[in-house]
Amino acid sequence: MDTNRIVFSGSGGQGVITAAIILAEAAVLHEGLDAVQTQVYGPEARGGATRADVIISQKPIYYPKVVNPNILVCLTQEAYNRFSGIIWPGGLLLTDSHYVKKQGRIEGRHVTLDMYQAVMKRIGKPIVFNVCMLGTLIGLTDLVRADSVMKVLESKVDAEFIKMNKEALELGIEIATSGE
Amino acid sequence: MDTNRIVFSGSGGQGVITAAIILAEAAVLHEGLDAVQTQVYGPEARGGATRADVIISQKPIYYPKVVNPNILVCLTQEAYNRFSGIIWPGGLLLTDSHYVKKQGRIEGRHVTLDMYQAVMKRIGKPIVFNVCMLGTLIGLTDLVRADSVMKVLESKVDAEFIKMNKEALELGIEIATSGE
């Protein structure tokens, strides 16, 4: 696909903005793509909902806002209730089954996986939940390669935490490929 | 002013994206303003230049990209060389005198301060250079209040580092008000 329009949503502290920045930098710095990463803070931000948008494209990006994402990630019930309606028909919706209860159907593919519990069981640190989610997302799509994400993590994360981030990324990929 | 268009620029690792996010969240969460925060990654990102844009407004923001900032911060020579020309006439340009050598004149107010050396001397940790710069910026302008920035830092930073961040913010304000 020439252009992917991705929205990550959840609550402050789940690391969705960081995940969006890591994905954008992986695409730009290691895959030669263009990217725009945006936080549009509206009134919902004051209610605790966080939204981070990424556009990744093989072509220059002229309009940086995502209106209808073809890939949507919702990590809280509030984010799901608020944003699931904006998905592009035929798009991919990824939700975390620990936080989000599916309600109704969307016009696309809805994948719900227990990323949070997997992180807590295998790694025991909620801080890498977002990296696991990113692993799951790249396991489900062909957005960027895992080694591109890993290179960005290595440039951003303190040396002592790199191993844990790598485990979280690999765990996410494993979850994506082992079962839905 | 109804709307401020701010561009932070520097190199990866100086924390300009984090500074932009902190400023946007301070405006939205603690001052009731609207904000958009964007990273537009073009080819220059692969050369190591980082740019993070913030729009802060009392009104809804329809176009999230900054073309001509009325406030521009350049933390490397490369960022200054690349971006100083885009400043809005009459705008404020803040550069770090440790990293940036002034060349020519801009159509606005150019403030150059040695924020980096001040941080290294007083605190000794380059990691809070970006918070000091944010302090200087809010000391020079009326973008947001210091306590709004501090609340965001308290929500994001590990407890053990909050004191250091507060010192860096206060140091930045001190630099802004004590001498140019």
Side-chain angles (χ1 to χ4, degrees), chain B residues 90-151:
Chain B
L92 169 67
L93 171 63
L94 173 63
T95 57
D96 185 274
S97 59
H98 176 72
Y99 286 111
V100 178
K101 194 172 175 308
K102 205 169 160 174
Q103 292 167 329
R105 292 171 63 87
I106 59 139
E107 290 187 76
R109 175 183 175 209
H110 186 168
V111 178
T112 179
L113 292 165
D114 203 340
M115 299 172 280
Y116 180 77
Q117 288 294 2
V119 165
M120 292 313 289
K121 200 172 159 192
R122 176 92 60 98
I123 301 172
K125 304 277 186 190
I127 197 167
V128 287
F129 174 42
N130 62 340
V131 173
C132 174
M133 175 275 287
L134 208 47
T136 304
L137 188 65
I138 65 171
L140 292 171
T141 63
D142 59 354
L143 279 174
V144 294
R145 296 186 308 272
D147 69 304
S148 302
V149 174
M150 208 48 233
K151 280 180 200 160

Side-chain angles (χ1 to χ4, degrees), chain A residues 28 33 35 37 39 41 46, chain B residues 28 33 35 37 39 41 46:
Chain A
V28 171
L33 300 166
Q37 193 284 311
Q39 282 67 251
Y41 297 93
R46 289 183 274 273
Chain B
V28 172
L33 300 166
Q37 194 283 311
Q39 280 68 250
Y41 296 93
R46 289 183 274 274

Side-chain angles (χ1 to χ4, degrees), chain A residues 1-5 33-34 55-61:
Chain A
M1 186 181 284
D2 274 354
T3 301
N4 278 292
R5 304 177 311 282
L33 300 166
D34 273 12
I55 304 176
I56 297 175
S57 185
Q58 293 169 354
K59 301 174 293 189
I61 299 155

Side-chain angles (χ1 to χ4, degrees), chain A residues 56-72:
Chain A
I56 297 175
S57 185
Q58 293 169 354
K59 301 174 293 189
I61 299 155
Y62 295 106
Y63 189 71
K65 245 169 149 171
V66 174
V67 181
N68 299 112
N70 65 306
I71 297 172
L72 172 65

Side-chain angles (χ1 to χ4, degrees), chain B residues 151-170:
Chain B
K151 280 180 200 160
V152 174
L153 287 169
E154 282 163 3
S155 74
K156 284 191 180 295
V157 173
D158 285 346
E160 58 183 311
F161 299 116
I162 286 177
K163 188 167 164 279
M164 183 170 77
N165 277 269
K166 190 163 192 288
E167 282 171 5
L169 189 70
E170 287 168 353

